[in-house]
Amino acid sequence: MSGHRVVVADDHPLFREGVARTLQESGRFAVVATAASGAEAVEAARSHAPDLVLLDLSMPQGGLWALERIALLQPAPVMVLLTVSEDGDAVFAALEGGARGYLLKGIGGAELVATLERLMQGESHVAPSLAARMLARMRSPVPSSRDGLDLLTPREEEVLRLVSEGLSNKEIARRTDVQERTVKHHMTQILQKLHLRNRTEAALLAQKEWRNG
């Protein structure tokens, strides 16, 4: 069996089977299990050690519930939400919970395969309509947000750069050789100094300012 090993979780059988078939026929992914609920997704992830788990947001137990538990696996697979929901809070919760991508179900088969391949190479992806909305929430930043970057300590700046690259707290702790709770402390300080609500906003601000700077 070749390709990235995938678990597809969705409570709509026709959609679940269609996604599984699309991925399998691409020759780039191997569907090792399907699931109809968050609990089944967690069990499949534990049993099959997939490289990638696709999660629906609104199935029983829910994608965010499953995401939280699958993220604890060692090693954790790449996790992607594939859903109809355009709820901004759900997007933030998913990304903060460790999801590498947030895709909408209107996506075509070829685009889905190509996007998932990029995610497996380490990129992050949020559906364009949602990314635009997330950036719009930042277009009127608190005036001190930009200046706040200058207030960061070298270690806080390092943590923020790694967050902007899509790394989780656990991955940052490993990279910087500190404990995960230390990374969480740095993130708290970063958000306070930048007057931002969560790590996704901090990452977007860092990407925007440092890329343009």
Side-chain angles (χ1 to χ4, degrees):
M1 192 179 282
S2 60
H4 300 293
R5 295 163 53 82
V6 187
V7 169
V8 178
D10 193 286
D11 61 341
H12 292 88
L14 197 60
F15 182 82
R16 182 176 68 242
E17 291 161 14
V19 169
R21 191 180 311 112
T22 295
L23 297 181
Q24 194 72 41
E25 290 177 353
S26 74
R28 303 169 197 175
F29 295 91
V31 178
V32 295
T34 59
S37 68
E40 287 182 15
V42 173
E43 182 54 38
R46 286 176 178 153
S47 301
H48 295 278
D51 305 308
L52 169 67
V53 179
L54 280 180
L55 295 165
D56 179 31
L57 190 68
S58 57
M59 60 186 169
Q61 290 96 44
L64 295 179
W65 182 92
L67 183 79
E68 182 181 337
R69 286 153 181 80
I70 295 171
L72 299 175
L73 298 179
Q74 291 289 347
V78 171
M79 294 174 290
V80 177
L81 271 289
L82 180 59
T83 178
V84 295
S85 175
E86 298 191 34
D87 177 1
D89 289 337
V91 180
F92 281 115
L95 296 177
E96 290 180 342
R100 191 173 290 178
Y102 195 104
L103 314 180
L104 296 178
K105 285 186 175 178
I107 192 170
E111 186 183 354
L112 174 63
V113 170
T115 301
L116 292 179
E117 278 207 303
R118 290 197 299 273
L119 292 172
M120 294 309 297
Q121 291 164 10
E123 293 187 23
S124 298
H125 182 87
V126 174
S129 61
L130 295 172
R133 195 175 309 164
M134 290 164 70
L135 286 168
R137 287 170 70 167
M138 296 187 61
R139 280 204 184 111
S140 305
V142 176
S144 59
S145 287
R146 175 64 187 91
D147 297 336
L149 289 173
D150 298 328
L151 298 176
L152 301 182
T153 65
R155 178 47 67 94
E156 289 166 355
E157 184 174 317
E158 180 184 18
V159 168
L160 181 55
R161 286 187 187 277
L162 293 173
V163 166
S164 73
E165 292 173 14
L167 273 66
S168 67
N169 284 348
K170 187 175 294 183
E171 290 168 329
I172 293 170
R174 203 174 298 131
R175 181 82 66 89
T176 57
D177 199 27
V178 299
Q179 294 192 355
E180 189 174 351
R181 68 169 179 266
T182 303
V183 176
K184 290 179 180 177
H185 172 72
H186 287 317
M187 275 309 305
T188 300
Q189 293 297 111
I190 289 166
L191 295 180
Q192 287 178 353
K193 289 180 180 180
L194 300 182
H195 301 282
L196 297 173
R197 289 168 291 191
N198 53 54
R199 66 190 289 122
T200 306
E201 289 191 355
L204 288 168
L205 178 70
Q207 289 170 359
K208 181 161 152 277
E209 295 298 343
W210 283 331
R211 189 175 295 154
N212 297 338

